[in-house]
Amino acid sequence: VNYYTQSNLSLLHSAPELLLLGINPGSAGGDGKELTAKEFLQGNPEYHTKGSWTMWQRLCRLFAQGNMLEMLQDEGSLVWSNVFHLNSKKESGLTSPMKAPEVVQLTRDLIQVLQPQRVLCLGGANCLYQLFPKYETTLEALIPGVLWYTRIGSTPVYGIPHTSSCYTNEQTDLLGKVLAFLLRLIILQRQLSSNSLWSSEPIGSV
């Protein structure tokens, strides 16, 4: 790996509530040098300035629309990474060898290790198809052109247009509310599953 993930993975104490995935990190003035495992896990050295990033501000507005901004503010339950851990100024700068299956497998392995409650891909269907080849999965368009869905194992994965691009007010309103419903539905399902397991135990069991 010759670049970084975004958030500091060493801060995690449990499975994250949300894993954000971009396609790949921009050059951001970095030199693309080889990193040690410790450097990679510590993430983007400029991550603490993300509040000034336009894409982060738009993502926060989207989550605020659905009253779930706290999901982005808890550094202990949020992971931000990329499908490709290789930098280029634009996605088009990724060459075919850099997009080899073994490179993508690193991110799929990361998902299996982290076991996030949900994954959100920034980049829509294009980002999802980088992570899941078309012959391996079928994407469900929940909102055509705006929101896609699939799964990796038991983990739900959603894709939305990258927040580096402009959203209309209507898109922000609709997508924010639909995402809020979907992401909270996962919490409800887990609670119901947990309650079901608890109630199924025989009386007096330890």
Side-chain angles (χ1 to χ4, degrees):
V1 176
N2 72 346
Y3 216 58
Y4 49 73
T5 183
Q6 292 287 0
S7 56
N8 189 337
L9 297 181
S10 66
L11 295 178
L12 286 176
H13 300 295
S14 60
E17 286 191 33
L18 177 65
L19 170 60
L20 286 174
L21 287 178
I23 293 179
N24 77 303
S27 57
D31 56 10
K33 69 181 180 67
E34 289 287 333
L35 300 183
T36 65
K38 181 177 180 180
E39 289 173 328
F40 177 75
L41 290 175
Q42 288 177 339
N44 183 352
E46 298 300 320
Y47 186 71
H48 66 283
T49 69
K50 66 182 181 298
S52 64
W53 303 352
T54 300
M55 61 175 293
W56 179 258
Q57 293 168 357
R58 288 175 178 154
L59 187 65
C60 287
R61 283 199 293 271
L62 184 66
F63 272 60
Q65 193 66 34
N67 294 317
M68 52 181 185
L69 188 57
E70 70 282 354
M71 195 176 292
L72 296 181
Q73 295 173 332
D74 185 354
E75 297 290 347
S77 63
L78 169 70
V79 172
W80 188 355
S81 190
N82 296 282
V83 175
F84 301 99
H85 301 290
L86 299 155
N87 65 314
S88 63
K89 289 185 178 180
K90 295 182 179 180
E91 179 196 345
S92 58
L94 286 170
T95 60
S96 293
M98 293 166 68
K99 299 172 90 170
E102 59 268 21
V103 178
V104 179
Q105 188 60 43
L106 290 173
T107 298
R108 298 181 71 161
D109 290 344
L110 179 65
I111 295 174
Q112 294 295 334
V113 170
L114 292 177
Q115 290 293 302
Q117 294 183 31
R118 71 278 281 176
V119 178
L120 182 62
C121 288
L122 304 180
N126 186 36
C127 181
L128 288 170
Y129 277 133
Q130 303 291 351
L131 189 58
F132 306 98
K134 293 183 180 181
Y135 61 83
E136 289 186 7
T137 191
T138 300
L139 299 186
E140 183 177 353
L142 301 181
I143 304 177
V146 179
L147 177 61
W148 296 264
Y149 166 79
T150 188
R151 301 182 77 87
I152 179 168
S154 61
T155 303
V157 183
Y158 301 97
I160 63 174
H162 204 291
T163 52
S164 60
S165 59
C166 292
Y167 279 46
T168 65
N169 290 335
E170 291 77 12
Q171 286 177 324
T172 300
D173 181 64
L174 175 62
L175 192 52
K177 290 177 178 177
V178 172
L179 269 179
F181 171 78
L182 292 171
L183 299 184
R184 288 185 177 127
L185 182 61
I186 297 168
I187 298 175
L188 178 60
Q189 289 173 332
R190 290 179 184 272
Q191 290 174 340
L192 290 175
S193 177
S194 177
N195 290 339
S196 176
L197 289 173
W198 177 260
S199 63
S200 66
E201 292 184 358
I203 296 176
S205 62
V206 178

